[in-house]
Amino acid sequence: MTSIDKELQFSREERAGLYRNYKYPNLVEVRKQDRLYIEQFANITSELLFAAFRGEEELTGDEIWQVVRYNGIPLSVLTCPKLTMLDNKRIRHRNMVERLRGRLYPIWQAEQEGISLL
């Protein structure tokens, strides 16, 4: 499955509401963001991730922890059963976004230069 096929499948299933009842809605939101390919971070296939979002499979604690580690998102936020929205008026949220941006910039820069980090 190509990366375009994966994105199309994710978009179709998400729009169809297949992920609506996933116990970690913030994980679905992270997956929606550009360049935040949690499958790579968690070392899992897209098929497994999408099956977990549909409630057909479970992600292990280690797989979720890898997403936390690479994205810099607190575990309590990522695994919160309620969707958590960032508020740029809160200093803590602004700091979290800046830390994430600092981690993603080298990845983005390497991608622009054609360097694979995996």
Side-chain angles (χ1 to χ4, degrees), residues 4 29 54 62 66 74 84 92 101 111 113:
I4 292 173
E29 289 299 313
R54 291 188 302 266
D62 185 57
Q66 292 304 318
T84 303
R92 187 178 73 184
R101 191 173 286 134
E111 180 186 52
E113 294 171 5

Side-chain angles (χ1 to χ4, degrees), residues 24-70:
Y24 305 135
N26 293 309
L27 194 56
V28 175
E29 289 299 313
V30 167
R31 180 57 179 78
K32 285 183 190 180
Q33 304 306 310
D34 287 344
R35 304 190 199 289
L36 295 180
Y37 298 104
I38 59 179
E39 300 97 301
Q40 293 171 341
F41 297 146
N43 197 26
I44 59 173
T45 65
S46 297
E47 291 78 11
L48 173 61
L49 180 66
F50 300 160
F53 286 169
R54 291 188 302 266
E56 300 164 1
E57 296 285 343
E58 287 286 330
L59 297 180
T60 67
D62 185 57
E63 290 163 345
I64 292 173
W65 179 249
Q66 292 304 318
V67 176
V68 167
R69 183 172 157 237
Y70 285 107

Side-chain angles (χ1 to χ4, degrees), residues 74-108:
L75 181 63
S76 60
V77 171
L78 200 59
T79 59
C80 181
K82 292 179 71 177
L83 188 60
T84 303
M85 302 300 284
L86 288 176
D87 180 357
N88 280 333
K89 294 176 186 167
R90 298 182 72 185
I91 188 90
R92 187 178 73 184
H93 290 184
R94 285 196 309 268
N95 289 339
M96 187 171 65
V97 168
E98 283 305 311
R99 282 193 308 273
L100 178 60
R101 191 173 286 134
R103 288 179 173 197
L104 289 176
Y105 182 75
I107 296 170
W108 175 82

Side-chain angles (χ1 to χ4, degrees), residues 2-20:
T2 69
S3 60
I4 292 173
D5 292 334
K6 292 174 189 177
E7 293 308 311
L8 288 172
Q9 178 183 355
F10 176 78
S11 293
R12 278 193 302 266
E13 290 183 359
E14 200 273 330
R15 277 195 315 265
L18 298 180
Y19 306 154
R20 187 178 315 125

